[in-house]
Amino acid sequence: MGVRDAMHRNALLGEPTVMSAPHLPKVAGIDPVVPVSTQTAAPLKAVPPAPAALIQDRLASWVSDLTTLHELTERLAGTSTLDDALRELLGAGAALVGARRGLLVLEPADGAVTSRTIGLGLAHAELGHIETVPRDATPYGSLLDGLPGTDGPLACPDIPGDASLDPRCREVAARLGYAASYALPLTTVAAGRLGAAVWLYDEPAEPLERQCHLIGLYARHASEHLARLTELERARADIAAIAEELLPIRLPRVPGVRLAVRHRSAPRGGGDWYDALPLPDDALGLAVGSVGGTGPAALAAMGRLRAGLRAYAVMEGEDPVAVLSDLELLLRLTEPATAATALYAYCEPGRRTVLLAGAGHTPPLVTGDRRTAFVETSLSAPLGMLSCWEAPSVEFSPGSGETVLLYTDGLLRRTADSMDHAFARLHAAAAGAPKVLRQDPGALADHVLHTLLPDGLDRDGDGEDVVLLAARFD
């Protein structure tokens, strides 16, 4: 806002050289720009410009440029996601070169992240028109493909009048109303070529030498920032893929109950998990849990904990207390410095009974047409905090058409409310679900999530995993 608007209003970089040139002093009240009469016997000698004034003007110009560059790089450094950084780079570059529109193509040479194109002042359809031009005929395509003579910026100061350009290039320029372009490669020594940015002028034009110098400095700094964010996005994608591989690929089908799950991992990789496994006699085991911490260590602990629970659920049968007791022992032996919460429910859909035990975990919520209530579970410590864990189990019977919601506390924490208020909002979201949505556990889960988190599960900056497992009993 402030920097770019001020630059466009004052035309800092496009100021005519006449405005900044030193004025010749007046001598004896005569303006020196007025020609001396030929009747003068001895014309005045040319008065040289004052060196001090010239140096002062240049210093002021340099200070102004450095201040502008500093403010723009500070704004860029404040971006924490790749998409935000790309938009900031494109907008700041347009201000520096005096353009109104542009586009940026991110296409890392190593394929670190998915290629993407963003526009400034260009609608999606207009970007589509530009992409119909043969790639090697576009400035960004030449830069990305490393064609000969594309080591630096590419300027097309007069697109309509340049007969050497591809006819399709001039046709699209005429249709979209731009007459000149200035393109820069985005490269770093370590990562190589990351992409290219192109700024578009409404009239034939070309940035001044001073503008080219500033945008070059800014682009070098921006490329390093983009390289770091690209690597970070790739690491986050790898962590998310690992987390998904550690969780069930698909939910089982058991007569009398329908299942749905919604799960998102934190950017740095959290330890929230869930499981649903068919057991003998058409029984069903449901589990949710959370391991403290983030990153690879939390993911590894989560994977071991879930694998252990599956084994104990098969061995211990219908005793959820014994399952969590065995899990406590496993955690103390394999992850002595880790704390975790867990909830395990042994379900018999044919009889519509649920026997569950929890270790420091949030209570399930039962919702239907006639009631919405939290299940009263016994107070217990998280796994790994006691030398021996054991708490009584709780049995309840969901009615026909009721849904049991199991979730992790990340769902509550993402609301940014106090826990009491978050519980109340969860209850209200489930109770207020339309009747038609209650027929489908997936639709009900989506409604609850949208009500609690209007910005969605993928909102940037959230540091909490979310798990919501819904089981609807027929």
Side-chain angles (χ1 to χ4, degrees):
M1 272 293 291
V3 175
R4 296 181 196 157
D5 292 342
M7 291 175 66
H8 284 300
R9 286 198 305 268
N10 300 326
L12 171 65
L13 301 179
E15 183 179 342
T17 55
V18 176
M19 300 295 291
S20 58
H23 295 281
L24 295 177
K26 295 181 180 181
V27 179
I30 300 176
D31 190 340
V33 300
V34 179
V36 179
S37 172
T38 56
Q39 303 297 324
T40 304
L44 294 174
K45 295 181 179 180
V47 179
L54 181 61
I55 294 174
Q56 186 175 8
D57 284 348
R58 288 182 177 177
L59 285 176
S61 177
W62 291 342
V63 169
S64 176
D65 289 347
L66 289 174
T67 300
T68 299
L69 196 61
H70 174 73
E71 291 182 4
L72 292 177
T73 52
E74 283 291 308
R75 288 179 51 150
L76 179 67
T79 58
S80 57
T81 67
L82 192 54
D83 287 338
D84 287 345
L86 294 175
R87 293 188 182 92
E88 177 63 29
L89 189 162
L90 192 56
L96 288 173
V97 301
R100 190 171 63 88
R101 293 181 289 175
L103 69 149
L104 190 154
V105 180
L106 179 72
E107 191 177 293
D110 60 357
V113 297
T114 304
S115 300
R116 64 197 74 175
T117 301
I118 65 169
L120 174 68
L122 294 170
H124 184 72
E126 293 174 321
L127 286 175
H129 280 304
I130 294 175
E131 290 176 343
T132 63
V133 179
R135 181 181 170 99
D136 58 357
T138 62
Y140 66 85
S142 301
L143 293 173
L144 292 172
D145 295 338
L147 299 180
T150 60
D151 294 334
L154 295 178
C156 297
D158 186 8
I159 294 177
D162 191 346
S164 64
L165 294 177
D166 187 284
R168 181 60 182 165
C169 180
R170 288 184 290 169
E171 177 187 341
V172 169
R175 173 177 292 186
L176 300 186
Y178 63 87
S181 67
Y182 185 76
L184 270 182
L186 303 173
T187 63
T188 67
V189 175
R193 190 150 295 179
L194 297 171
V198 184
W199 292 279
L200 308 173
Y201 298 87
D202 295 342
E203 302 292 338
E206 188 173 0
L208 303 175
E209 181 180 354
R210 177 171 159 229
Q211 291 175 305
C212 293
H213 178 66
L214 282 180
I215 189 59
L217 293 175
Y218 181 78
R220 283 196 290 273
H221 174 83
S223 297
E224 296 291 344
H225 186 61
L226 288 181
R228 290 190 291 269
L229 291 179
T230 299
E231 185 63 28
L232 180 60
E233 184 169 295
R234 175 167 59 180
R236 288 174 173 173
D238 291 343
I239 288 176
I242 293 173
E244 291 300 324
E245 289 296 327
L246 292 174
L247 295 173
I249 298 176
R250 62 180 60 88
L251 297 175
R253 293 186 177 183
V254 176
V257 64
R258 286 184 289 159
L259 303 175
V261 68
R262 300 294 182 265
H263 170 251
R264 289 294 184 278
S265 294
R268 290 180 294 175
D272 285 14
W273 56 276
Y274 66 92
D275 208 345
L277 61 156
L279 297 173
D281 301 324
D282 289 332
L284 175 69
L286 298 177
V288 291
S290 177
V291 176
T294 59
L299 289 176
M302 178 262 282
R304 287 190 284 267
L305 207 62
R306 174 178 169 265
L309 182 135
R310 291 179 71 90
Y312 301 142
V314 173
M315 291 189 302
E316 301 292 352
E318 59 186 35
D319 189 351
V321 172
V323 171
L324 292 187
S325 297
D326 293 341
L327 204 60
E328 162 73 23
L329 178 61
L330 174 68
L331 191 68
R332 285 193 287 112
L333 293 176
T334 61
E335 311 286 344
T338 301
T341 66
L343 186 147
Y344 175 68
Y346 177 81
C347 310
E348 293 182 279
R351 298 174 52 206
R352 287 205 298 274
T353 60
V354 178
L355 185 65
L356 66 88
H361 203 79
T362 50
L365 179 66
V366 181
T367 181
D369 294 337
R370 297 183 178 181
R371 66 166 176 170
T372 297
F374 289 101
V375 178
E376 294 186 6
T377 57
S378 56
L379 184 64
S380 61
L383 301 173
M385 297 189 66
L386 299 175
S387 58
C388 181
W389 181 91
E390 187 168 342
S393 59
V394 175
E395 184 175 356
F396 67 98
S397 297
S400 177
E402 290 188 332
T403 301
V404 179
L405 298 177
L406 309 180
Y407 54 94
T408 57
D409 59 1
L411 174 62
L412 304 177
R413 296 185 188 280
R414 278 209 188 192
T415 64
D417 293 326
S418 66
M419 292 303 286
D420 287 344
H421 192 194
F423 275 117
R425 287 185 58 188
L426 174 59
H427 184 280
K435 185 174 182 179
V436 64
L437 298 182
R438 297 182 182 278
Q439 309 303 315
D440 179 15
L444 178 61
D446 290 334
H447 169 80
V448 170
L449 288 174
H450 179 72
T451 305
L452 288 180
L453 308 174
D455 295 332
L457 285 173
D458 296 321
R459 184 178 61 190
D460 296 328
D462 288 318
E464 297 283 349
D465 284 12
V466 171
V467 169
L468 179 60
L469 178 60
R472 185 185 187 278
F473 288 82
D474 296 333

